[in-house]
Amino acid sequence: MIAALWRRMTVLDRFIVALLLLGVLASFAVLGRQPAGARVLVERDGRLLFSAPLGEARRVALPGPLGDTLLEIADGRARILSSPCPHKVCMGMGGVFRRGELIACIPNRLIISIEGGADQGSPAYDLLSH
Amino acid sequence: MPLNRPLIVVLLLVLLAALALVKRGGREAELREGRILLGTLVEIQVPRGDRAARDAVTAAFAEMARIEALMSPHRPDSDVARLSAAEESLEVAPDTAEVFALGLDVAARSAGAFDLTLGRLKALWDLEGDNPRVPDDAEIAAALEGIGPGALRLDGRWVSKARPDLAVDLGGIAKGYAIDRAIAVLAGAGIEQASVNAGGDLRLLGSRGARPWRIGIRHPRSAEELLATLELSGRAVVTSGDYERFFEVDGRRYHHIFDPRSGYPASACQSVTLVADSAMLADALATAVFVLGPEKGLALLTEFPGVEALIVAADGATHATPGLAELKR
């Protein structure tokens, strides 16, 4: 069938077909290789509350049951600036930037995680027992 | 336009290619979800991103929430809260009875170093609350009155207290049981490889791809340093440390693992890491060994075949069961 179609094509038809096929191959090559940019995700009770690229500096107030937790994204890192929780453990966790890293504020029920992006020096273990 | 035109064929090819790309982009290599449950962050990892895996992870979290509702002392309708308030024996859920059975066994074998009746003592110190404090000796003595391995009796699903004012606390074992249940739900849904990590206490299902899981053990005095890295498949690892939850008064640290004999935080160890087949057993034994200290703790573990431990004593010296070296990377 392809041979029959090919015989019926004009030169312009063949040119358009070649161009489109080239476009398809190029899209495979480009989209398949490109890594997704790292993003900051904020979840509360299993629901996505907020998401933003790690590369764009901003401050966001995240509402939780105790009040607003202030998240800062700056210099390619996400960290908690202030929190209404009693022990401020989330503030003490510092900045996260590696894929899979997390900050959690248990009392205010917020989970901040980093997704996507290149693998930037992951630790030598899969999980940490502490 | 007739369908046998070459352009139509090419456009169909383009559409197919686009669909293939969308499918490829939507397939995640690994599923990693977190929820706040049992007072900590619980993370489940499954190296599959398909719908069945997502449903299994959701079901595993739901199972852990069910266990929390049964065993949290803060929920008035939980088995634990009802039992603490009860004056007579009480029928509990089969899950709660299972936890009591193992908990009372470890309590008896550890001569009370592990205790399920520390509810009053923990409320007194209020370490989990907003205003922790060091109680006076009389308060501590009153909170310890009547506790011990003989203070509770389990008969089938019926639990009875030796004294009506005893307050039950499953803090040193319920989290381990919830982890075990989550793993059971994942395995029941056909998941072959996964990890359930509840605030650093974890259990593994299968291996991680073609190799074992690599589990880092935190150094108790340096958060950046690893004490060891263990290579494990399908086992549970629980660490009890004096660095997790504590407060300081006059330069002295008061942490959350209490010695039932003194009513004060146990002082024989900095951290205890337990490797066992079940997270519930690892959880209970980690607390018992932390309270007993390295020497008596290792002696207790000889009664539990297949259980390994890595202990950092109060003086910083490390002790381990003979089989631990084989697990080190």
Side-chain angles (χ1 to χ4, degrees):
Chain A
M1 186 183 101
I2 298 288
L5 282 174
W6 188 254
R7 277 198 300 278
R8 288 175 52 193
M9 280 179 171
T10 65
V11 174
L12 191 63
D13 278 345
R14 289 175 187 171
F15 178 71
I16 291 171
V17 167
L19 209 66
L20 283 170
L21 284 176
L22 207 70
V24 169
L25 289 176
S27 68
F28 265 119
V30 173
L31 289 176
R33 226 178 324 123
Q34 198 177 38
R39 293 184 72 80
V40 182
L41 305 184
V42 181
E43 284 176 77
R44 195 181 64 213
D45 300 326
R47 291 206 175 86
L48 188 67
L49 203 65
F50 170 79
S51 164
L54 189 61
E56 291 173 16
R58 71 178 76 200
R59 285 183 183 188
V60 197
L62 307 166
L66 300 180
D68 281 357
T69 292
L70 188 62
L71 169 76
E72 183 191 63
I73 305 174
D75 305 322
R77 283 169 188 258
R79 67 189 179 111
I80 301 297
L81 279 187
S82 71
S83 173
C85 59
H87 302 302
K88 318 284 184 207
V89 175
C90 52
M91 289 168 66
M93 292 172 95
V96 290
F97 61 98
R98 287 192 192 93
R99 183 169 60 196
E101 273 190 320
L102 292 164
I103 302 174
C105 182
I106 310 291
N108 217 17
R109 307 198 70 79
L110 295 165
I111 303 173
I112 293 118
S113 61
I114 306 294
E115 290 218 340
D119 211 343
Q120 296 174 41
S122 295
Y125 51 83
D126 304 315
L127 297 162
L128 185 67
S129 181
H130 55 88
Chain B
M1 191 187 278
L3 273 175
N4 58 359
R5 292 287 297 177
L7 198 61
I8 297 292
V9 176
V10 171
L11 283 177
L12 283 173
L13 276 174
V14 171
L15 193 70
L16 273 176
L19 280 174
L21 272 180
V22 167
K23 205 179 165 206
R24 185 184 163 130
R27 197 192 302 140
E28 288 288 328
E30 184 176 71
L31 192 62
R32 202 168 172 151
E33 281 194 32
R35 294 270 198 293
I36 293 168
L37 285 164
L38 302 132
T40 191
L41 173 66
V42 180
E43 257 197 296
I44 299 183
Q45 274 186 57
V46 177
R48 273 168 53 177
D50 55 275
R51 177 77 183 266
R54 278 201 300 274
D55 289 348
V57 170
T58 304
F61 279 128
E63 177 70 356
M64 293 183 89
R66 186 181 71 83
I67 302 304
E68 183 181 20
L70 282 176
M71 300 180 199
S72 164
H74 308 297
R75 300 200 183 186
D77 55 346
S78 73
D79 276 352
V80 166
R82 289 190 312 124
L83 198 56
S84 292
E87 304 217 328
E88 291 173 353
S89 62
L90 195 78
E91 188 178 21
V92 295
D95 298 276
T96 315
E98 197 179 331
V99 171
F100 271 109
L102 184 95
L104 290 174
D105 182 41
V106 174
R109 292 215 228 176
S110 67
F114 179 72
D115 198 303
L116 298 175
T117 50
L118 292 181
R120 285 180 314 197
L121 185 76
K122 288 185 178 177
L124 195 59
W125 283 84
D126 197 25
L127 239 135
E128 317 281 327
D130 297 349
N131 301 302
R133 67 184 184 96
V134 183
D136 64 40
D137 290 348
E139 288 176 306
I140 289 178
L144 295 181
E145 223 170 289
I147 70 156
L152 293 174
R153 235 189 72 202
L154 179 72
D155 189 3
R157 282 170 53 187
W158 288 83
V159 183
S160 50
K161 304 190 290 185
R163 291 165 54 119
D165 63 342
L166 279 174
V168 173
D169 187 281
L170 300 182
I173 189 168
K175 188 161 68 168
Y177 181 73
I179 294 170
D180 288 337
R181 287 300 312 149
I183 287 285
V185 166
L186 292 169
I191 304 288
E192 288 171 350
Q193 298 185 338
S195 67
V196 177
N197 180 0
D201 296 338
L202 51 99
R203 184 166 160 189
L204 312 163
L205 182 59
S207 53
R208 184 167 174 78
R211 64 165 173 83
W213 291 83
R214 291 179 187 140
I215 309 301
I217 311 297
R218 201 203 112 150
H219 192 288
R221 290 292 175 264
S222 165
E224 304 298 313
E225 220 179 301
L226 288 185
L227 201 59
T229 304
L230 307 181
E231 287 198 322
L232 301 165
S233 295
R235 305 201 78 194
V237 186
V238 172
T239 298
S240 287
D242 64 2
Y243 51 84
E244 285 283 277
R245 273 168 281 163
F246 64 88
F247 68 101
E248 283 179 351
V249 178
D250 300 330
R252 192 172 162 196
R253 179 186 288 202
Y254 297 94
H255 63 83
H256 71 297
I257 307 163
F258 292 100
D259 186 334
R261 299 163 298 189
S262 68
Y264 276 82
S267 56
C269 298
Q270 293 179 6
S271 80
V272 173
T273 299
L274 247 290
V275 180
D277 287 337
S278 100
M280 172 162 68
L281 181 63
D283 203 2
L285 286 177
T287 306
V289 172
F290 192 100
V291 170
L292 288 172
E295 200 178 308
K296 287 183 181 166
L298 288 173
L300 169 70
L301 294 182
T302 57
E303 293 182 30
F304 296 88
V307 169
E308 305 297 345
L310 180 59
I311 304 167
V312 180
D315 61 4
T318 57
H319 304 258
T321 50
L324 190 91
E326 289 169 30
L327 305 177
K328 280 191 182 174
R329 204 179 160 215

